[in-house]
Structures are given as C-alpha cells and as structure tokens.
Amino acid sequence: MKRLFLIDGSSYIYRAFYALPHLSTTKGLPTNAIYGFTNMLLKVIKEYRPEYMVVVFDAKGPTFREDLYREYKAQRPAMPEELIPQIPYIKEIVSAFHIPVIEKEGFEADDVIGTIVEDLKGKDVEIVIVTGDKDMLQLVSDHVTLLDTMKGRRYGVKEVLERYGVPPEKVVEIMGLAGDSIDNIPGVPGIGEKTAVKLIKEFGTIERAIDNVDSIPNRRVRESLMRYRDQALLSRELASIHRDVPLQYSLDDFLLREPDYERLRDLFRELEFSRLLKELIPPESAGLICERVEAPGTLKELIRSIKDRGEVSIALHTEKGEVKGVGLSFEKGRAYYVPFRDGWRDELRRVLEDGRVRKDGYDLKKAWISLKKQGIDLAGIHGDTMIAAYLINPLRAPYSLDDIAEEYLGRRPSLQEKEDLTCEVAGINYTLSSILLKRLEEECLSDLYYTIDLPLVEVLGAMELTGIKVDVDLLVALSKELEGEMERLEERIYNLGGGRFNINSPRQLQKVLFERLGLRPVKKTKTGYSTDEEVLKALSTEHELPADILTYRHLSKLKSTYVDALIGLIDPDTGRIHTSFNQAVTATGRLSSSEPNLQNIPIRSELGKRIREVFVAEEGWLFLSADYSQIELRIVAHLSQDPLLLEAFRKEEDIHRRTASEVFGVPPEDVTEEMRRQAKAINFGVIYGISPYGLSQGLGISQKEAKEYIDNYFSIHRGVRSFIDRTLREARETGFVTTIFGRKRPVPELRSRNPNIRALGERIAINTPIQGSAADIIKKAMNSLYRALKERGLKSRMVLQIHDELLVETPEDEKEEVKGLVRGCMEGACELTVPLKVEIGEGRNWREAH
C-alpha cells in the first residue's frame, strides 16, 4: 500500500513559533518558526520515510467561512511581527526538500487536505495527516490517521473513540455544540466539550439532540440548546471540513524526491542552523587527493611550486608537542603530506620562514608555537580560518574546524589516519580561507582583521611560549596557609551552627540556617531555600554564620581554583606557567586566558593580591605593569562627545569626584569618600546599562534613591544619554553594534518577545562599543609594542594581558627605555577626542608592579 503524508503547513508554522523560545541569526533574523518547522519535516522524513508527501498552506484572503459567519477567526490577532519574515524561508526550505506545495485561494488548508482524503477514498493509499489541529480528527478512518509530531501522538479510529466515545465522523457534531475558541466558532453557550460529548454519544447528531430536548435532564442545557439551535448548526458548518475543493493533481505529483542539498546548505548556513548542517545533510564529496612526499627531489619541486604560487595552506601533525609532519595545499583538490625529517627541515624552512609566501591555516598561533619550538619562525601568516570565522560571527562559538568547515563547505575532515587527516585539513583550509577572507571583505571587517587580530597571532604565540615565572615555594606555603585558615574557620562555623555539617552542601546548610538557627529565608528555589552569595550577604546582618560561610567559600575557591591549580600547571622544564590566550571566545573582542585563567584572579581581597605575589620576574629582571587609566570612561567621552566629560578628561580631573559633585550637588572639595564611591558605581553602571535596581543592590540604597542618582546623571550628561539612545536605535535597525574600529557584535536579543531578554540586549548594545573598543585599543598597543621590542633587539617581553593591563618582564638595564616604549605604544594606540593615559608600576613580583 502506498503512503501519503499530508502536512498541515499553516498549523505547524504557528505551533513552532509559539512552542520554541526566541531564536535568531546573528544578523537579527528571527528563526524559531523556521527551525521548528524544519525539524518537524525532517522528523517525518527520517522516522517514517514516506513515499509521497505534500505540504498544504492556507492561502491569503478570506474563505467561504467568512461569508457564513463574519466573526469567524475575527478574534485572532494579526500575524506576529517576528513571524512575518520567517514565512518565505519556510516555503523556500519546503521547496528545497522538493516537497510539493498546495495553496488554494478561498479555502483553508483543512479543506484541501479533506478533498485529497475524499478523492483517494477506496484507493490503495494509506494517508497520514500531520497536524496538531483537532478539527482534522473528523477525517480519520481505517486508512487515514492523524499524526501530532510535537506531542508524539497518532490517532486512528480507535484513539478517537477512546478520547470522545464517538467515531471520527461525529467529532464535528461535538464541535458544533462546544465551539472552538481558537477559530471563534461560537457553539452553544453553557455547553462545553464534556457535555457535548455526552449529548452526541446519546443522540448522534445536533438535530436529534434538539428534537429530543425534552429528555435532557439539565434545564440549563435544554434552554440553551433550544435558544441557540441555529448557532449550533452554523458552528457545525464552520467546523466541517469541505471535501470538494477544485484541485487538479495526480498522486504521482506528490512523489517525494531527493532534496536539493546544495540549496539546503545555503539556506541552513544563512539561517545559522549548524546542527542541521552537521547532522542531517550528506557531506559533499571531499574530492581531495592527498599525496605523501617521499623523495627529496619531490620535496624540492613542491617547495619551488609553492614559492611560485606565493601562497600555501599549512596543517601540522604533532604528537606530544613534537612536529611529526606538515600538510601543505596550494591548489584546490590536492594536498601533500611532508614528514618532518631532520634532513628535510631546512627545505621546509625555505617556505615556512618566507614572509612573501602567504600562509593559511586554522588557529595558526598553535602552528607558530610548535614550529618555533623546532627552531622555525613561521612568517607570512595571512588566512587564519578560526579568527576569520570568529570575526564574521562572534556569537557562533565554538570555532572548531569541524564546525566551520561544516558551515561553509558542507563537510568536515573525515580521514582517520593522522597523516591523511593532516593532509585533508590543509586542503580544507585552503578552500575555506578564500571563502572567509571574501566574507570579511563583504562585511567590512578586512581592515580589523589585517591590522589588529591577525598580527596578534604571533604576539600571543610569543607570550604563551615565554610564560610567566612562579615562586613555587611561596605558592606551596600559601596553599598550606589557606588550608590552616579554612580548618580554623570550619571549627568556628560548626560552633556557630550548633554541630558539624557539610559546609559545601546547600541542603545541609539550608537546615542549619533556616531550621536550626531560625533565620529568615530570602528566596525559594526548586530544592528549598537559596543559600547563594546574595542571600548569605543579606543574612549576614542577622547572624555571624552566613558571613563566615562566605569567607569559607572565598578561601576554598582561591585554594582550589588558583593556588593548588597553579602548582599543577607549572612547566617542569621552564619553571613557568604558560597560559593560553584566546582570541575567539568573547563576543566583545576581549582576550581571555585558560589553563590557567589568569584574568579572573581576584584583586580586591588581600588573599587575591597575595596570589599575585607568586608571579615573579627572573633574577635581574623586573615587571612593568602598565594599566590604562579609566579607558572605558574615556571611550564614553569620545563616543558621546559629552561636553562635561570631555572637559573633565582634558583637565585631568578626578572623574569620579567630579561626577559625585554633579550628582549630589556639592562642591568638589566637599565630596566625601562615600560619595566618590557611589559616583564611581554610577559612572561604570552607565557603561553597563545598569538599572535602578542593580545600582540599589550595589550601593545598598533604595531603588528610588538609585533612580534619582541615574536621572541626575543623565540630566547633566545629556551627551551620554544621546549616545545611548542613538546606539540602541541603530542596533534595533541594523541588528548589531560596532566598536570604533568596526568590530561587529550582533544583538539578536533586542528583537526578543521576552522583556528580560530585550533588557539584556540593551545592556549588551550599550556596553559592547565601549568594552569592545577598549579591547581593540589594547590589542593595537600589544602589536605595536611587540614590533618595537623586536626591531630594537631588546630582551624585554610581554608576559600577560589582563583586561586593560599589560605586564612586561624587562631586564633592569632596559627598564627606562622599555617604560618609554610601553607608554608610547599604549597611549598612541588610538587617537581619541580625549587623551589616553597609562599608569606604569614596577616591582619584582606582579603585586608590587601593579
């Protein structure tokens, strides 16, 4: 028996839209309905493998039902704004799947489906109607079933009988009595589905129920049925699926063909459906020839060809940090594997160190480090596919080669042998690089890529290779000291809590705080009452124990996350820690570090500062810590052109003292330290789009006071208010924000239906141009400083970058020269309307220098 699947397209579009949370591309195109609808199609195709399929959509314009009843579907709101742009994509995807589509003017999808069911009655065809609309149950028969993929239910005659107690053809009688609020079918007032089912089970039809109304025991139902007799019959007519729509088709028209995978790839890439690209589309044929170079003569010829071409994609085969071979590709469809033999190293060096030969690859920083360890200086870095993909879409993380290749090429590396895989990766990157570099140009990101992010590859590689020295003895001593502090604090906690308990167990802590001590719960969670940091801070005013718990948690985190972890990360050969600096992690463009994450070492607590003491300079060397002074506020002044901010920075005033004077209405000399602290919170709060609630929590004041502070600030700094309003307006229009240097950050949250997500989007839109510009500025400074140190042949080297701070390790005899270079490179990295200022400290360890 042949099987035909009839998809109620219009029903599924709306169900997908409302079932899924807000989804959008990085350009702001909403995609939740597209994604849900596409998954439904794929689920049907994958699980049921239909021979025949057709998608039926409601046609635009009124249908015959509006002629019968003007109020039919009148209560339905207009199509949601976020759904409108998704409809064409849904129809495009259906077309790319080669699934036939029917839309018939003047009729609903239900009627088209009903007509097809009627036409095929008695023929050797099994029909499955894919819908969530209960109206369709009236079409169910021995050869027609209804499939609701979202609820995982399938209805045949048996299931309809179990639900309603009547056969499928009687469902419309029930709807005539009970009505349908979704379609605004009135039914009979006072009769719900339960009563309607009872009446139809007893009488069979609406007419028979009316004819036998005197036998109905419920007086209210009797009166309502008599009074609304005509409305019941009209409601049944409105709910009845018409099966005589004029259609011209044959079953063969619905034969399911192989999808147009190329078209689907393009659509899924545009819609950023990476999972669907990866899992559901057959990969393109690799079509790549991999050759292993065995003879010295072949290698010489290969190197000569690469130099003539002037470009090559490289991939390294490494084992335990040692280079075993190199993959090379300089023409589409062909790549070469060259074993890294001692006798061949110099031949490879001729091309790898030649800056005139452009090098492409994935995460070339790793390749630079690996080759540097082998005594080879990789030059001519040109196309880093990881960085390019990150710039194009800073929200797509992670940026694995598998995912990038899947998105842009429709395939991923698939070969298993290390040598073959290295060869394949080189070939893939050769193709990827040209695609991504072209996209960068189209997105106006090329200048940012070539002048900031790409040069940083070598800079960060050198910093990772250098690492930073650690005083192991001091680190071990600090670990023991923390352990002793924690043990003493544990005993105090047990005494205050009335007995021993697991301090790290939220459940046990709940019992101690709220049952044993009887403290007032602050907020409830699924597992009881919360014991998070915010709650413990609030409870600290009532009892000593919550404050001690906070201290214990702080000590525990310092010990496990930093002190003990650092001990395990010291390289036994160098005695230094070699953190990894990540360029493709944060959406704002800021660098991050990992293994260990040195950017999150707390600096406000005394113990956090002591951790910085374990990072020490080599004997005869010093650390220079260069920190931008209030760079983000200076960027706000530049972007907003606020006259008062510009004046304050040009006069080198204490910006927080001045803000306190303005907001609190007192002369600068009368500003207290508390006022200045609050003003500082306001200044930085503005950058992060802080709300009155957020400011009130941070300062421990009422929301009313916080709102007054913020209002006062904006009444004085109208330029800042204007900048924020302009930024939000442009972000809503374009879907993204940019830094001073053109780095883009999509903000799809601004188009969410959820007000909390929209508010988050506003904070992102305000903060990104500021924080992202600061990140770009320090990157430019790092590039300049690296070149300056190299050109002058100095031994000094950058070892860390932490937000707005650079840490440079310098021999004492180079200190003054390097100080001048650091200041010049950092303050000259960007010309703002207000001057950039850098504060430089020095010391034998990081804490002293900072």
Side-chain angles (χ1 to χ4, degrees), residues 657-684:
R657 185 169 295 279
R658 173 158 181 160
T659 299
S661 173
E662 294 166 346
V663 170
F664 299 118
V666 298
E669 59 271 18
D670 292 342
V671 170
T672 65
E673 282 305 307
E674 177 59 21
M675 288 179 178
R676 187 183 181 281
R677 184 184 73 84
Q678 293 184 335
K680 184 176 181 179
I682 294 167
N683 277 329
F684 286 106

Side-chain angles (χ1 to χ4, degrees), residues 799-842:
V799 290
L800 284 182
Q801 187 274 328
I802 310 290
H803 305 312
D804 304 328
E805 175 192 2
L806 278 184
L807 193 66
V808 179
E809 190 175 18
T810 179
E812 292 184 24
D813 59 359
E814 291 181 3
K815 181 183 71 174
E816 294 306 320
E817 182 180 3
V818 172
K819 266 189 181 180
L821 286 176
V822 170
R823 188 177 300 280
C825 290
M826 291 183 72
E827 293 186 348
C830 176
E831 191 173 330
L832 301 179
T833 316
V834 297
L836 287 172
K837 290 292 180 183
V838 172
E839 297 171 353
I840 301 178
E842 61 181 77

Side-chain angles (χ1 to χ4, degrees), residues 398-551:
Y399 297 90
S400 70
L401 178 61
D402 281 6
D403 289 338
I404 298 169
E406 190 80 62
E407 181 174 350
Y408 291 96
L409 301 180
R411 68 182 184 89
R412 53 177 51 207
S414 58
L415 300 178
Q416 300 301 312
E417 292 295 326
K418 270 286 189 178
E419 295 180 5
D420 293 340
L421 180 60
T422 304
C423 206
E424 186 184 18
V425 166
I428 284 176
N429 273 308
Y430 180 77
T431 306
L432 261 181
S433 182
S434 59
I435 293 171
L436 294 175
L437 294 181
K438 185 179 179 183
R439 278 289 304 275
L440 287 173
E441 194 174 334
E442 291 168 353
E443 297 284 345
C444 301
L445 292 166
S446 293
D447 190 55
L448 175 73
Y449 172 78
Y450 287 116
T451 62
I452 297 181
D453 282 34
L454 192 65
L456 203 65
V457 168
E458 183 176 333
V459 176
L460 296 179
M463 290 170 65
E464 287 187 23
L465 200 56
T466 299
I468 184 168
K469 190 176 180 181
V470 176
D471 186 330
V472 183
D473 293 337
L474 187 58
L475 198 55
V476 170
L478 185 55
S479 177
K480 289 180 179 177
E481 182 181 332
L482 285 170
E483 187 176 348
E485 282 291 318
M486 290 173 66
E487 287 174 356
R488 284 189 290 274
L489 194 56
E490 277 180 3
E491 291 306 316
R492 176 178 161 81
I493 288 170
Y494 296 148
N495 289 333
L496 288 170
R500 300 181 74 84
F501 65 97
N502 185 348
I503 300 171
N504 297 314
S505 166
R507 285 185 178 277
Q508 291 189 35
L509 185 56
Q510 286 173 25
K511 288 184 178 180
V512 172
L513 293 175
F514 307 122
E515 295 178 19
R516 194 180 298 172
L517 299 181
L519 297 179
R520 170 186 51 84
V522 177
K523 61 182 178 182
K524 196 170 175 52
T525 67
K526 291 179 180 178
T527 58
Y529 293 111
S530 173
T531 58
D532 64 15
E533 184 176 349
E534 182 184 346
V535 168
L536 292 178
K537 280 182 179 178
L539 294 175
S540 295
T541 59
E542 301 176 28
H543 198 280
E544 294 174 272
L545 181 59
D548 284 347
I549 296 291
L550 284 172
T551 303

Side-chain angles (χ1 to χ4, degrees), residues 44-164:
V44 171
I45 293 169
K46 187 176 179 181
E47 292 187 12
Y48 298 95
R49 302 185 182 281
E51 297 171 75
Y52 302 87
M53 181 183 279
V54 61
V55 176
V56 185
F57 292 111
D58 290 333
K60 288 183 179 179
T63 68
F64 68 90
R65 289 182 177 82
E66 278 82 3
D67 294 334
L68 289 173
Y69 183 55
R70 189 183 303 172
E71 299 303 312
Y72 179 70
K73 293 188 178 180
Q75 91 294 353
R76 282 195 179 183
M79 182 179 289
E81 193 174 319
E82 286 190 0
L83 179 56
I84 294 171
Q86 300 189 62
I87 303 296
Y89 281 97
I90 289 172
K91 292 185 176 180
E92 184 77 8
I93 286 170
V94 172
S95 175
F97 272 110
H98 285 152
I99 302 172
V101 171
I102 297 179
E103 293 178 81
K104 189 67 177 178
E105 191 174 333
F107 296 92
E108 294 183 50
D110 298 19
D111 303 309
V112 174
I113 290 171
T115 299
I116 295 173
V117 168
E118 187 69 22
D119 288 350
L120 297 176
K121 186 184 290 184
K123 297 181 180 178
D124 192 28
V125 180
E126 176 192 349
I127 296 174
V128 180
I129 302 170
V130 183
T131 185
D133 191 343
K134 66 180 181 181
D135 300 13
M136 294 281 201
L137 290 172
Q138 63 190 278
L139 298 176
V140 170
S141 68
D142 290 340
H143 293 298
V144 179
T145 56
L146 185 148
L147 174 65
D148 185 343
T149 60
M150 283 192 173
K151 293 184 178 178
R153 293 177 184 169
R154 192 161 181 174
Y155 293 91
V157 174
K158 178 186 173 185
E159 287 75 21
V160 175
L161 279 166
E162 287 174 354
R163 175 171 174 179
Y164 291 109

Side-chain angles (χ1 to χ4, degrees), residues 671-817:
V671 170
T672 65
E673 282 305 307
E674 177 59 21
M675 288 179 178
R676 187 183 181 281
R677 184 184 73 84
Q678 293 184 335
K680 184 176 181 179
I682 294 167
N683 277 329
F684 286 106
V686 167
I687 293 173
Y688 293 99
I690 201 166
S691 65
Y693 172 78
L695 186 62
S696 71
Q697 292 296 107
L699 294 179
I701 58 176
S702 69
Q703 285 194 58
K704 182 181 178 183
E705 283 179 287
K707 185 176 185 305
E708 286 176 3
Y709 292 170
I710 293 172
D711 289 345
N712 286 347
Y713 180 90
F714 283 126
S715 68
I716 297 164
H717 293 283
R718 297 181 186 277
V720 178
R721 175 79 272 172
S722 177
F723 157 70
I724 290 173
D725 292 342
R726 182 175 69 252
T727 300
L728 290 175
R729 184 174 63 252
E730 291 174 357
R732 291 188 182 104
E733 290 171 359
T734 64
F736 62 87
V737 290
T738 60
T739 68
I740 293 170
F741 302 94
R743 186 181 302 276
K744 291 182 181 178
R745 160 73 181 268
V747 195
E749 294 89 350
L750 287 173
R751 300 186 181 182
S752 171
R753 299 192 302 270
N754 185 316
N756 292 328
I757 295 176
R758 279 201 310 276
L760 171 63
E762 290 177 358
R763 292 194 294 273
I764 290 170
I766 295 166
N767 173 246
T768 297
I770 302 162
Q771 190 182 101
S773 293
D776 288 341
I777 288 171
I778 199 162
K779 285 179 179 179
K780 281 175 67 72
M782 292 168 73
N783 289 334
S784 297
L785 181 58
Y786 181 77
R787 284 196 305 270
L789 294 173
K790 202 172 182 181
E791 288 166 2
R792 297 189 183 211
L794 296 170
K795 296 177 183 176
S796 300
R797 60 272 180 110
M798 285 180 282
V799 290
L800 284 182
Q801 187 274 328
I802 310 290
H803 305 312
D804 304 328
E805 175 192 2
L806 278 184
L807 193 66
V808 179
E809 190 175 18
T810 179
E812 292 184 24
D813 59 359
E814 291 181 3
K815 181 183 71 174
E816 294 306 320
E817 182 180 3

